[in-house]
Amino acid sequence: SAPIPWWTCPVAEIRPSDVVVGVVHVDPVVHRDDRGSFVETWRREWIPGCREMVQTNRAERVAGSLVGLHYHRFQADYWTVPDGLVRVVLHDLRAGSPTDGSTLCLDLGGDGSDRHKGLYIPPGVAHGFAALTDATVAYLVDGTYDPADELGVAWDDPAVAADWGVIDPVLSGRDRANPIRADLPTDLVPVFDADSPSGGAGMGGAG
């Protein structure tokens, strides 16, 4: 019988996180033939209720670098690691979230099909990564750069208790200066939006 056309096959396995509500793991199906491979890296319908992604960013980081923790009250991210391997750390900052205070650590990227896996991060979830090898991180965002929404939490905050997988990481000045969670101003604490299908943050502070 004739082979089934790739465009009629499933394109991804979608798995909501059971650690941080609103976070979604995406494992795209890789279609291969004698010419090589093809993979869909993003579909908006994979994340019900998410906004349109309007910008793509690309970060090149050397092994031992650490970025984070960053968070946004109004912006969601979708990450892939097409080259290299990183340890991702997520921490739920959203007041009222059923997983408020939960930390998720996972590796993203690697060899073979693993380098196509994606991670959706809703607003209000602090995020960062450590480069376990030289790595490229590509991320879609649903908002353009807004300095008022570029916020951070200390990477080594005991309340986060992250396992970054690196020793003596290289950090930016910004990330070395991020406050611990307990010192975040009340008006900068994101609020869980129970009406958002993707589990994002509301538009107000916790106060």
Side-chain angles (χ1 to χ4, degrees), residues 79-101:
W79 290 9
T80 58
V81 182
D83 186 45
L85 181 68
V86 305
R87 173 71 50 83
V88 175
V89 172
L90 306 179
H91 180 76
D92 195 349
L93 292 171
R94 298 165 296 179
S97 167
T99 55
D100 182 10

Side-chain angles (χ1 to χ4, degrees), residues 25-205:
H25 304 267
V26 177
D27 189 358
V29 174
V30 181
H31 306 279
R32 295 186 173 88
D33 62 21
D34 291 342
R35 301 167 299 167
S37 64
F38 174 87
V39 61
E40 290 192 26
T41 57
W42 167 254
R43 277 196 187 193
R44 187 175 178 179
E45 66 189 52
W46 291 344
I47 316 295
C50 78
R51 302 191 307 175
E52 179 184 1
M53 295 296 178
V54 298
Q55 182 174 312
T56 303
N57 302 317
R58 180 184 175 102
E60 309 275 352
R61 293 292 181 263
V62 299
S65 300
L66 192 154
V67 178
L69 290 162
H70 303 162
Y71 75 96
H72 319 284
R73 291 173 296 164
F74 313 123
Q75 175 185 297
D77 288 38
Y78 181 76
W79 290 9
T80 58
V81 182
D83 186 45
L85 181 68
V86 305
R87 173 71 50 83
V88 175
V89 172
L90 306 179
H91 180 76
D92 195 349
L93 292 171
R94 298 165 296 179
S97 167
T99 55
D100 182 10
S102 296
T103 298
L104 172 63
C105 302
L106 70 150
D107 292 347
L108 196 63
D111 298 325
S113 298
D114 285 346
R115 66 191 181 93
H116 300 298
K117 291 181 178 180
L119 187 67
Y120 176 80
I121 306 167
V125 174
H127 46 271
F129 67 88
L132 304 182
T133 67
D134 291 353
T136 299
V137 178
Y139 50 107
L140 305 175
V141 294
D142 64 2
T144 54
Y145 176 74
D146 177 3
D149 198 35
E150 290 290 332
L151 307 166
V153 177
W155 69 278
D156 56 353
D157 186 343
V160 176
D163 176 11
W164 292 99
V166 295
I167 299 173
D168 297 326
V170 179
L171 295 106
S172 68
R174 168 196 172 182
D175 288 344
R176 285 194 297 268
N178 284 334
I180 61 172
R181 174 176 178 158
D183 290 341
L184 291 176
T186 301
D187 62 343
L188 296 183
V189 175
V191 176
F192 181 71
D193 183 2
D195 295 326
S196 171
S198 58
M203 298 298 289

